[in-house]
Amino acid sequence: MNEDENVVDPSHPRYQSLMIRKKIADAGAKGMLADSAMIAHGRGEAFDYLLGEQTIQSAQDATREVAARLVRARKPILSLNGNAIALAGAEFLTVASQLNCPIEINIFYRTPERMGALLGNLKMLNTKLGLDVEILGGVPDARIPGLEGPRGACQSNGIFEADTILVPLEDGDRCEALTAMGKEVLVIDLNPLSRSSRKGTVTVVDEVTRVASNLIQMIPQKPSVTEWNNDQALLAALNHISSTITNKFQ
Ligand code: PTJ
């Protein structure tokens, strides 16, 4: 990457990874992200490296299960934070439009400035894509029980009433609180050991931009819901990581 011009050279062997980093850097410069967004991203990158920077079979199966449950839901919603919008805002707008459901911006480190920047970004993308997805989160009027402070704030016609919620890069507390509300919580997280991964109904251990693209392909196929065993899927991801490490030394 040429730091001065902030341009990524396509011939670089880590071009994809650098492009994703650039999205985070650009969104940070626009005031969309939390101060710790880069750290969270770096943690994700480390796990992605161990997964081989690919969608492994168990993640493919989990994504299909997420698509099935979103299609089946009575009132689905996509809950997006700063990193998810920076990396895959356009793709998630497409997913919401396929499902005819709203997106709610729900951030851990909530400030009026960040909310304004994130709302503005999604509205701009909505127009650019010619979509009319409802974007909530700007006027919270309900609370997720058990969560103190701004991170418990949500909208009554959005997250509060939803029966099924997609939460990319969620924090463990909120994931647990949403599950306690009786919702189906569909998690995207590269770390198979995180509390969100373990507390979710279905967890996709994969990079958020790859998952969003895969969902766009799978949702129109209207897959069927299965009897999902999330622990087994997390174990499959851990086994894959373990075999990646073993293979490096053979
Ligand atoms: O926008 P806000 O205020 O809601 O803040 C968002 C962050 C991500 C900063 C905040 O939620 C946070 O600090 O998250 P954590 O607790 O660091 O958790 C982030 C999780 O997402 C970690 O388990 C990472 O492995 C995972 N992760 C990071 N980048 C990606 C990812 N998972 C999938 N795709 C990624 N690109």
Side-chain angles (χ1 to χ4, degrees), residues 189-201:
D189 193 328
L190 278 160
N191 177 1
L193 295 169
S194 77
R195 210 144 48 91
S196 304
S197 287
R198 289 180 287 118
K199 294 292 174 186
T201 317

Side-chain angles (χ1 to χ4, degrees), residues 77-188:
I77 194 160
L78 314 185
S79 169
L80 300 188
N81 65 10
N83 287 44
I85 293 172
L87 294 175
E91 289 81 355
F92 281 124
L93 280 165
T94 305
V95 168
S97 152
Q98 289 175 318
L99 296 165
N100 196 19
C101 81
I103 284 177
E104 181 162 339
I105 301 175
N106 199 283
I107 56 179
F108 191 91
Y109 301 104
R110 191 182 178 107
T111 65
E113 293 76 18
R114 279 193 67 208
M115 282 303 293
L118 290 166
L119 281 162
N121 183 266
L122 279 188
K123 283 181 184 161
M124 177 274 292
L125 289 171
N126 222 356
T127 308
K128 195 170 158 187
L129 295 168
L131 301 176
D132 190 23
V133 174
E134 189 180 10
I135 299 166
L136 306 174
V139 278
D141 58 351
R143 296 202 61 81
I144 301 167
L147 287 181
E148 298 304 318
R151 70 202 178 108
C154 68
Q155 262 183 245
S156 53
N157 59 338
I159 288 176
F160 193 80
E161 284 174 4
D163 61 341
T164 302
I165 176 164
L166 179 71
V167 287
L169 285 69
E170 188 55 277
D171 84 276
D173 271 7
R174 286 194 355 142
C175 184
E176 224 170 335
L178 291 166
T179 309
M181 287 174 85
K183 301 180 191 303
E184 291 225 308
V185 183
L186 311 173
V187 172
I188 301 171

Side-chain angles (χ1 to χ4, degrees), residues 30-51:
K30 289 180 191 156
M32 289 162 55
L33 301 184
D35 289 346
S36 56
M38 286 273 189
I39 298 169
H41 185 73
R43 178 156 42 173
E45 273 192 349
F47 280 100
D48 205 19
Y49 184 81
L50 293 171
L51 287 162

